[in-house]
Amino acid sequence: MPPPPPSALIRVIRGQSSAVLTRGDALAALTDEPGQITRWFHFPAMQRANALIGGWMREAGLEVREDAAFNLIGRYPSANPRAKTFVLGSHLDTVRNAGKYDGPLGVLAGLACTERLAAEGVKLPFHLEVVGFSDEEGLRYQTTYLGSRAMAGTLRAADLARVEEKGIEGARRARQDFLGYAELHIEQGPVLEAERLPTAAVTAIAGQSRIRVEFTGRAGHAGTTPMKLRQDALCAAAPVISAAESCGALATVGQLEVKPGASNVIPAEVVLSLDVRHPLDAARLDACARLKAVAESAADRRRVKLRWQVVQQTKSVACDPALTALMREAVGRHQPRALELPSGAGHDAAAFSALCPVAMLFVRCKGGLSHHPDESVKRGDVAVALEVLRDFILALKRRHDPS
């Protein structure tokens, strides 16, 4: 019979899921907007979050640094300094008035997994890094995956022009250094809850387009300008908002700005955001074209000017079949059956796929609710996910070091 594990290791195993949730609570207290959870790229709350999690990483024995894009990196080194690197990551920024788990759960779970491997004395044939990306949601600059794209080296000149920080390109890493990437994330959907399962392997990430649409008309007195003579920018925008529901993709108008914004003045300018997503890129682009045609027709009919600006486009990403198979096998060992799901949400895994093969693991969330203060996960589901993630890393170890 093998000797019992040391008491320190027993505490790590028993308390992991509780520790992840407790750390999530502590992280949720770090916000740039009191009374709600909001963390902007490189604002004070993000800086405090990096410092807090960096401290936990050091306690776990990891080598900790922050790169030029303010991504937090904790490294569990292999005995072979020339080994490639496998990354467990997600993001630490949030949407405005966010929940606790979209992004941070993946970082904290990656840390917990690595912490346990270190406590068990597991030696890996690859370096294992836990990365907390600085910007995935795009709240500050309206361009997503800033942190992960900086590391992948895929930022465009237009992206860099929006960013006030200098030297962010210094975060770029070399493709040949990486073995792969895996991201644990809440599902942000209702399927796992309906299937009564705690986790699922992810097969693909939907492509998305973010578009800024501006209508510029002419202000006028609400009581004296005849309806037929108006150049109402808001009336021109209305058909686009309505058409988003039937364009053939998941399309959302999430922001709407009306100027001058007075109840007795005809709107002269309207700016709206469009978020369009689909697992098939051709279908997504077709939906965008349909919406643009609606906007052009409405602008022409109302005699207003239209500016259609594609802020960002990301292609759909298929998760790596080999890594996904390992994840699915790990899932099957810890729940009644293995399930695979596509993701309609965007993730840092999509950006990181430019560097290396990627995989994802979904964790059930209450009601499928996300981007909302009521985001919720069960401690038991987190415990299952941590076991799946550990088994996945150990399977990867066996594949690259059979001895």
Side-chain angles (χ1 to χ4, degrees), residues 1-11 13-14 119-120:
M1 177 179 292
S7 58
L9 177 54
I10 293 174
R11 288 195 298 272
I13 295 172
R14 289 178 178 174
E120 292 172 332

Side-chain angles (χ1 to χ4, degrees), residues 66-105:
E66 190 179 80
D67 70 14
F70 310 107
N71 297 313
L72 178 67
I73 303 167
R75 186 175 180 89
Y76 180 50
S78 169
N80 176 10
R82 293 188 296 276
K84 291 192 174 186
T85 297
F86 194 89
V87 176
L88 299 175
S90 196
H91 61 97
L92 295 174
D93 68 313
T94 72
V95 296
R96 178 170 274 136
N97 197 21
K100 297 178 183 178
Y101 302 110
D102 177 357
L105 181 63

Side-chain angles (χ1 to χ4, degrees), residues 134-164:
S134 58
D135 179 286
E136 188 259 9
E137 300 288 4
L139 182 61
R140 183 170 179 182
Y141 297 113
Q142 292 76 55
T143 179
T144 55
Y145 313 135
L146 181 60
S148 48
R149 286 195 295 146
M151 192 176 288
T154 57
L155 288 173
R156 304 168 301 170
D159 301 318
L160 294 172
R162 292 191 188 98
V163 180
E164 299 163 11

Side-chain angles (χ1 to χ4, degrees), residues 194-218:
E195 295 288 339
R196 299 184 178 181
L197 293 171
T199 68
V202 179
T203 56
I205 302 167
Q208 60 179 288
S209 299
R210 291 197 176 190
I211 303 165
R212 176 184 171 94
V213 187
E214 300 178 13
F215 293 94
T216 304
R218 185 177 181 181

Side-chain angles (χ1 to χ4, degrees), residues 91-397:
H91 61 97
L92 295 174
D93 68 313
T94 72
V95 296
R96 178 170 274 136
N97 197 21
K100 297 178 183 178
Y101 302 110
D102 177 357
L105 181 63
V107 180
L108 297 175
L111 172 56
C113 176
T114 309
E115 190 173 31
R116 179 172 171 184
L117 292 171
E120 292 172 332
V122 175
K123 304 300 181 184
L124 297 173
F126 46 84
H127 306 297
L128 186 61
E129 287 187 351
V130 180
V131 177
F133 292 112
S134 58
D135 179 286
E136 188 259 9
E137 300 288 4
L139 182 61
R140 183 170 179 182
Y141 297 113
Q142 292 76 55
T143 179
T144 55
Y145 313 135
L146 181 60
S148 48
R149 286 195 295 146
M151 192 176 288
T154 57
L155 288 173
R156 304 168 301 170
D159 301 318
L160 294 172
R162 292 191 188 98
V163 180
E164 299 163 11
E165 310 296 340
K166 306 300 180 183
I168 196 170
E169 288 182 292
R172 182 172 187 168
R173 304 275 292 272
R175 180 191 302 265
Q176 63 267 23
D177 291 344
F178 288 94
L179 180 65
Y181 171 92
E183 181 169 355
L184 180 150
H185 205 284
I186 58 171
E187 181 195 354
Q188 301 177 278
V191 178
L192 281 172
E193 193 169 67
E195 295 288 339
R196 299 184 178 181
L197 293 171
T199 68
V202 179
T203 56
I205 302 167
Q208 60 179 288
S209 299
R210 291 197 176 190
I211 303 165
R212 176 184 171 94
V213 187
E214 300 178 13
F215 293 94
T216 304
R218 185 177 181 181
H221 196 291
T224 62
T225 308
M227 300 301 290
K228 290 184 178 180
L229 299 181
R230 296 185 178 196
Q231 293 172 265
D232 189 323
L234 185 56
C235 285
V240 179
I241 299 171
S242 179
E245 290 188 314
S246 56
C247 68
L250 292 174
T252 304
V253 177
Q255 294 176 313
L256 187 67
E257 182 180 0
V258 181
K259 295 180 181 179
S263 63
N264 60 346
V265 180
I266 298 165
E269 182 180 348
V270 170
V271 180
L272 62 88
S273 66
L274 267 175
D275 182 309
V276 184
R277 308 186 189 210
H278 199 282
L280 300 176
D281 290 330
R284 171 177 53 84
L285 294 174
D286 180 67
C288 290
R290 292 184 186 186
L291 291 170
K292 186 177 182 181
V294 171
E296 290 171 338
S297 176
D300 183 64
R301 187 169 61 254
R302 299 281 177 177
R303 294 174 290 111
V304 304
K305 294 179 181 178
L306 169 68
R307 184 173 183 238
W308 182 274
Q309 180 187 8
V310 178
V311 177
Q312 182 180 350
Q313 291 197 108
T314 56
K315 294 181 179 180
S316 59
V317 172
C319 292
D320 178 71
L323 291 180
T324 301
L326 291 182
M327 190 70 77
R328 182 179 61 248
E329 290 166 8
V331 167
R333 284 194 288 272
H334 295 282
Q335 60 189 48
R337 59 189 174 90
L339 184 67
E340 293 184 336
L341 294 174
S343 175
H347 303 285
D348 288 297
F352 222 78
S353 67
L355 272 181
C356 60
V358 301
M360 286 194 67
L361 176 68
F362 271 163
V363 181
R364 174 169 50 188
C365 56
K366 185 177 180 180
L369 192 63
S370 181
H371 286 188
H372 191 281
D374 291 339
E375 278 179 3
S376 179
V377 295
K378 295 180 179 179
R379 187 177 74 169
D381 290 354
V382 173
V384 170
L386 292 175
E387 290 300 312
V388 170
L389 201 59
R390 176 178 177 273
D391 279 6
F392 170 79
I393 293 297
L394 292 178
L396 198 65
K397 174 183 182 294

